[in-house]
CSV table of all heavy atoms in Angstrom, one decimal:
chain,number,residue,atom,x,y,z
A,1288,MET,N,-9.0,0.4,45.1
A,1288,MET,CA,-7.7,0.0,44.6
A,1288,MET,C,-7.8,-1.2,43.7
A,1288,MET,O,-7.1,-1.4,42.8
A,1288,MET,CB,-6.8,-0.2,45.8
A,1288,MET,CG,-5.3,0.1,45.4
A,1288,MET,SD,-4.1,-0.4,46.5
A,1288,MET,CE,-3.6,0.9,47.3
A,1289,SER,N,-8.7,-2.2,44.1
A,1289,SER,CA,-8.8,-3.4,43.3
A,1289,SER,C,-9.3,-3.0,41.9
A,1289,SER,O,-9.0,-3.7,40.9
A,1289,SER,CB,-9.6,-4.4,44.1
A,1289,SER,OG,-10.9,-4.5,43.4
A,1290,LYS,N,-10.2,-2.0,41.9
A,1290,LYS,CA,-10.7,-1.5,40.6
A,1290,LYS,C,-9.6,-1.1,39.7
A,1290,LYS,O,-9.5,-1.3,38.5
A,1290,LYS,CB,-11.7,-0.4,40.8
A,1290,LYS,CG,-13.0,-0.6,40.0
A,1290,LYS,CD,-13.9,0.6,40.3
A,1290,LYS,CE,-15.3,0.1,39.9
A,1290,LYS,NZ,-16.2,1.2,40.1
A,1291,THR,N,-8.6,-0.3,40.3
A,1291,THR,CA,-7.5,0.3,39.5
A,1291,THR,C,-6.7,-0.9,39.0
A,1291,THR,O,-6.2,-0.9,37.8
A,1291,THR,CB,-6.6,1.1,40.5
A,1291,THR,OG1,-7.3,2.1,40.9
A,1291,THR,CG2,-5.4,1.7,39.6
A,1292,ARG,N,-6.4,-1.9,39.8
A,1292,ARG,CA,-5.6,-3.1,39.4
A,1292,ARG,C,-6.4,-3.8,38.3
A,1292,ARG,O,-5.6,-4.3,37.3
A,1292,ARG,CB,-5.3,-4.1,40.6
A,1292,ARG,CG,-4.1,-3.7,41.3
A,1292,ARG,CD,-3.8,-4.9,42.2
A,1292,ARG,NE,-3.6,-4.3,43.5
A,1292,ARG,CZ,-3.9,-4.7,44.7
A,1292,ARG,NH1,-4.5,-5.9,44.8
A,1292,ARG,NH2,-3.7,-4.0,45.8
A,1293,THR,N,-7.6,-3.9,38.4
A,1293,THR,CA,-8.4,-4.6,37.3
A,1293,THR,C,-8.3,-3.9,36.0
A,1293,THR,O,-8.0,-4.5,34.9
A,1293,THR,CB,-9.8,-4.8,37.7
A,1293,THR,OG1,-9.9,-5.5,39.0
A,1293,THR,CG2,-10.7,-5.6,36.7
A,1294,VAL,N,-8.4,-2.6,36.0
A,1294,VAL,CA,-8.3,-1.8,34.8
A,1294,VAL,C,-7.0,-1.9,34.2
A,1294,VAL,O,-6.8,-2.1,33.0
A,1294,VAL,CB,-8.8,-0.3,35.1
A,1294,VAL,CG1,-8.4,0.5,33.9
A,1294,VAL,CG2,-10.2,-0.2,35.5
A,1295,LEU,N,-6.0,-1.7,35.1
A,1295,LEU,CA,-4.6,-1.8,34.6
A,1295,LEU,C,-4.2,-3.1,34.0
A,1295,LEU,O,-3.6,-3.3,33.0
A,1295,LEU,CB,-3.6,-1.4,35.6
A,1295,LEU,CG,-3.6,0.0,36.1
A,1295,LEU,CD1,-2.6,0.3,37.3
A,1295,LEU,CD2,-3.3,1.0,35.0
A,1296,GLY,N,-4.7,-4.2,34.7
A,1296,GLY,CA,-4.5,-5.6,34.3
A,1296,GLY,C,-5.1,-5.8,32.9
A,1296,GLY,O,-4.6,-6.5,32.0
A,1297,GLY,N,-6.3,-5.3,32.8
A,1297,GLY,CA,-7.2,-5.4,31.5
A,1297,GLY,C,-6.4,-4.7,30.4
A,1297,GLY,O,-6.4,-5.2,29.3
A,1298,LEU,N,-5.9,-3.5,30.7
A,1298,LEU,CA,-5.2,-2.7,29.7
A,1298,LEU,C,-3.9,-3.5,29.2
A,1298,LEU,O,-3.6,-3.6,28.1
A,1298,LEU,CB,-4.8,-1.3,30.1
A,1298,LEU,CG,-6.0,-0.3,30.4
A,1298,LEU,CD1,-5.5,0.8,31.0
A,1298,LEU,CD2,-6.7,-0.1,29.0
A,1299,ALA,N,-3.2,-4.0,30.2
A,1299,ALA,CA,-2.0,-4.8,29.9
A,1299,ALA,C,-2.3,-6.0,29.0
A,1299,ALA,O,-1.6,-6.2,27.9
A,1299,ALA,CB,-1.2,-5.2,31.1
A,1300,PHE,N,-3.4,-6.7,29.3
A,1300,PHE,CA,-3.8,-7.9,28.5
A,1300,PHE,C,-4.3,-7.4,27.1
A,1300,PHE,O,-3.8,-8.0,26.1
A,1300,PHE,CB,-5.0,-8.5,29.2
A,1300,PHE,CG,-5.6,-9.7,28.3
A,1300,PHE,CD1,-4.9,-10.8,28.2
A,1300,PHE,CD2,-6.8,-9.4,27.6
A,1300,PHE,CE1,-5.4,-11.9,27.4
A,1300,PHE,CE2,-7.2,-10.3,26.7
A,1300,PHE,CZ,-6.6,-11.6,26.7
A,1301,ALA,N,-5.0,-6.3,27.0
A,1301,ALA,CA,-5.4,-5.8,25.7
A,1301,ALA,C,-4.2,-5.4,24.8
A,1301,ALA,O,-4.2,-5.7,23.7
A,1301,ALA,CB,-6.3,-4.6,25.9
A,1302,ALA,N,-3.2,-4.7,25.5
A,1302,ALA,CA,-1.9,-4.4,24.7
A,1302,ALA,C,-1.3,-5.6,24.2
A,1302,ALA,O,-0.8,-5.7,23.1
A,1302,ALA,CB,-1.1,-3.5,25.5
Side-chain angles (χ1 to χ4, degrees):
M1288 210 191 256
S1289 107
K1290 228 180 201 186
T1291 303
R1292 270 192 233 142
T1293 303
V1294 170
L1295 292 176
L1298 289 174
F1300 173 78

